[in-house]
Amino acid sequence: VHAAGIIPYRIFKGGEEEPTTTADTYLQRNLCPFARACMGYALMGHYDFLDGVASTHTCDAIHRLPYVWEKYVKKPFFFQLDLPRVFEGGAHNYFKKEVIRFKGALEQFSGNKITDDKLTNSIKIYNKTRSLLKRIYELRKAHEPLISGTDSVKIVQAAMILERETCNELLGELKNELEKNSNGLKKGPRILFTGSIIADGDYKVMDLIEQLGGLIVTDDLCTGSRYFWDLVDESKSPIEAISERYFFQIPCPRMKSVKKRLDHVLNLTKEFKIDGVIYYNLKFCETFQYDYPIFKKELEKIEIPLLRLDTDYSELDIGQLRTRIEAFLEMI
Ligand code: SF4
């Protein structure tokens, strides 16, 4: 997208009830609040500034959402990138063809040819963003981390939508400042936060954990560490490298194999000296629900306590969440 001269913007706003109820006219209520909020914000005009929407086949909710969106909120460009669920056989080859099809659609829409040189340049710029974010996350391994979990996710989210050169400049400044600073946050139980998407605005649970004295020192979120963890291989041909990176990256649970994500989480528990894991499950997010028992079993084996929290974008369960988080933090 960047190489075509188009400004990429991730649709990830959430955390408010009004858009979810707005979307109820067009979507069934047993979709997760994030998918409903995407549609709701579009209907409310929040995404009027966009010229097009490209989405991929992640969970069923997101797979079907663009078809409804396309019908009721018109845009000049719509693209659905198909993504196999398995890693084996010809799956990667198929995905690579999808990436090439996407490239062609972007060229046609923008009128700009996406050359290998442009792609190589974009890969370098985005790899720089990824490396800077990873370094900022690594600084949270400290005994008294310099930055909270909620702020870290907000930084990643900003990096997803900021103009690239400004983004890298700001991230570089932040990294340098954090490297010089030694005044960390106060001590507390070290938490790894995993689960459904943390949308821009959906900080209810993360805020509660940190207000109650927990330190979220790392995460396994698509709007967190999974966004930047893997680099695109700069030594390969650009299309090959991009398709490999997005296909073989630490997967979201919509991919069939849970092992890679589980290994990532288990490694993070060691690297960041984790005392407990909080598993955030947006209501009706079946993809993360399916993985939960496997995570529970594996974390029990290494004696890391796990708390699963099911919630949505309402404020009604704050008291209940507070009690459960408080008890969990006390216990660990
Ligand atoms: S993966 Fe879960 S949270 Fe994300 S859109 Fe699908 S159902 Fe919603």
Side-chain angles (χ1 to χ4, degrees):
V1 176
H2 182 264
I6 299 172
I7 302 169
Y9 180 91
R10 179 161 176 183
I11 293 166
F12 64 173
K13 196 163 166 52
E16 294 175 302
E17 263 202 299
E18 192 193 342
T20 62
T21 46
T22 305
D24 288 347
T25 319
Y26 301 100
L27 301 172
Q28 67 267 33
R29 299 201 67 185
N30 61 350
L31 289 180
C32 82
F34 174 68
R36 285 158 63 217
C38 289
M39 184 69 199
Y41 283 119
L43 290 165
M44 289 159 70
H46 183 81
Y47 295 124
D48 284 355
F49 64 95
L50 296 176
D51 294 313
V53 177
S55 79
T56 189
H57 181 179
T58 54
C59 61
D60 278 352
I62 292 296
H63 176 46
R64 293 292 168 202
L65 180 67
Y67 298 120
V68 185
W69 185 325
E70 191 175 8
K71 195 165 164 50
Y72 297 104
V73 190
K74 304 264 180 245
K75 293 280 171 207
F77 179 80
F78 265 94
F79 191 90
Q80 177 86 281
L81 185 91
D82 199 14
L83 172 65
R85 266 195 81 225
V86 294
F87 290 106
E88 301 82 19
H92 171 246
N93 210 22
Y94 173 78
F95 180 67
K96 193 165 92 181
K97 285 185 183 149
E98 278 296 284
V99 173
I100 294 167
R101 190 171 68 87
F102 185 40
K103 175 175 168 273
L106 290 169
E107 284 176 331
Q108 204 181 0
F109 175 62
S110 66
N112 297 329
K113 184 104 190 100
I114 304 176
T115 61
D116 275 5
D117 283 350
K118 285 184 188 170
L119 276 177
T120 304
N121 180 47
S122 297
I123 288 170
K124 282 199 176 110
I125 293 172
Y126 273 85
N127 271 350
K128 181 153 191 214
T129 308
R130 295 182 181 111
S131 304
L132 286 165
L133 286 170
K134 198 162 185 181
R135 177 66 190 137
I136 290 167
Y137 261 53
E138 272 168 4
L139 291 168
R140 295 161 67 203
K141 287 180 184 169
H143 191 51
E144 294 179 10
L146 294 156
I147 192 159
S148 75
T150 317
D151 284 345
S152 304
V153 167
K154 286 179 184 170
I155 292 165
V156 177
Q157 290 175 339
M160 287 174 166
I161 55 175
L162 272 173
E163 188 273 324
R164 208 41 32 189
E165 284 72 13
T166 313
C167 170
N168 285 350
E169 211 178 292
L170 290 172
L171 286 177
E173 281 172 24
L174 176 66
K175 176 191 81 78
N176 293 341
E177 224 172 276
L178 290 173
E179 279 172 342
K180 275 187 246 146
N181 203 330
S182 57
N183 296 326
L185 301 168
K186 62 178 174 35
K187 287 182 211 123
R190 297 173 68 86
I191 302 295
L192 183 150
F193 193 87
T194 182
S196 309
I197 184 170
I198 289 293
D200 171 22
D202 175 25
Y203 307 114
K204 177 175 73 174
V205 171
M206 292 187 95
D207 276 345
L208 268 178
I209 296 167
E210 301 199 308
Q211 280 161 16
L212 293 168
L215 287 179
I216 300 173
V217 290
T218 192
D219 64 67
D220 159 55
L221 295 168
C222 65
T223 44
S225 72
R226 270 189 278 127
Y227 171 66
F228 59 79
W229 208 258
D230 301 299
L231 297 180
V232 178
D233 188 339
E234 293 180 25
S235 67
K236 294 191 172 170
S237 78
I239 288 288
E240 184 70 32
I242 288 172
S243 67
E244 278 184 7
R245 192 276 179 191
Y246 284 93
F247 191 68
F248 294 113
Q249 67 177 341
I250 295 155
C252 115
R254 63 81 66 194
M255 296 301 279
K256 197 168 166 221
S257 161
V258 66
K259 188 173 179 324
K260 213 167 170 182
R261 189 166 83 86
L262 182 63
D263 287 348
H264 174 59
V265 167
L266 295 179
N267 282 339
L268 290 177
T269 60
K270 283 185 214 132
E271 278 182 38
F272 287 81
K273 299 190 175 59
I274 295 301
D275 298 313
V277 173
I278 294 192
Y279 201 99
Y280 175 77
N281 211 110
L282 275 177
K283 274 183 192 158
F284 305 114
C285 174
E286 287 155 5
T287 38
F288 279 92
Q289 281 169 17
Y290 285 134
D291 277 6
Y292 174 75
I294 303 166
F295 273 68
K296 187 168 183 286
K297 197 167 130 203
E298 294 303 317
L299 287 166
E300 266 168 14
K301 280 188 198 160
I302 55 167
E303 295 180 357
I304 299 233
L306 171 68
L307 173 69
R308 171 173 156 180
L309 298 169
D310 289 66
T311 184
D312 56 19
Y313 291 163
S314 81
E315 297 283 312
L316 296 173
D317 57 355
I318 288 233
Q320 191 193 81
L321 288 168
R322 177 184 291 276
T323 309
R324 294 193 63 204
I325 294 167
E326 234 166 5
F328 183 69
L329 294 176
E330 252 177 57
M331 189 260 294
I332 59 175

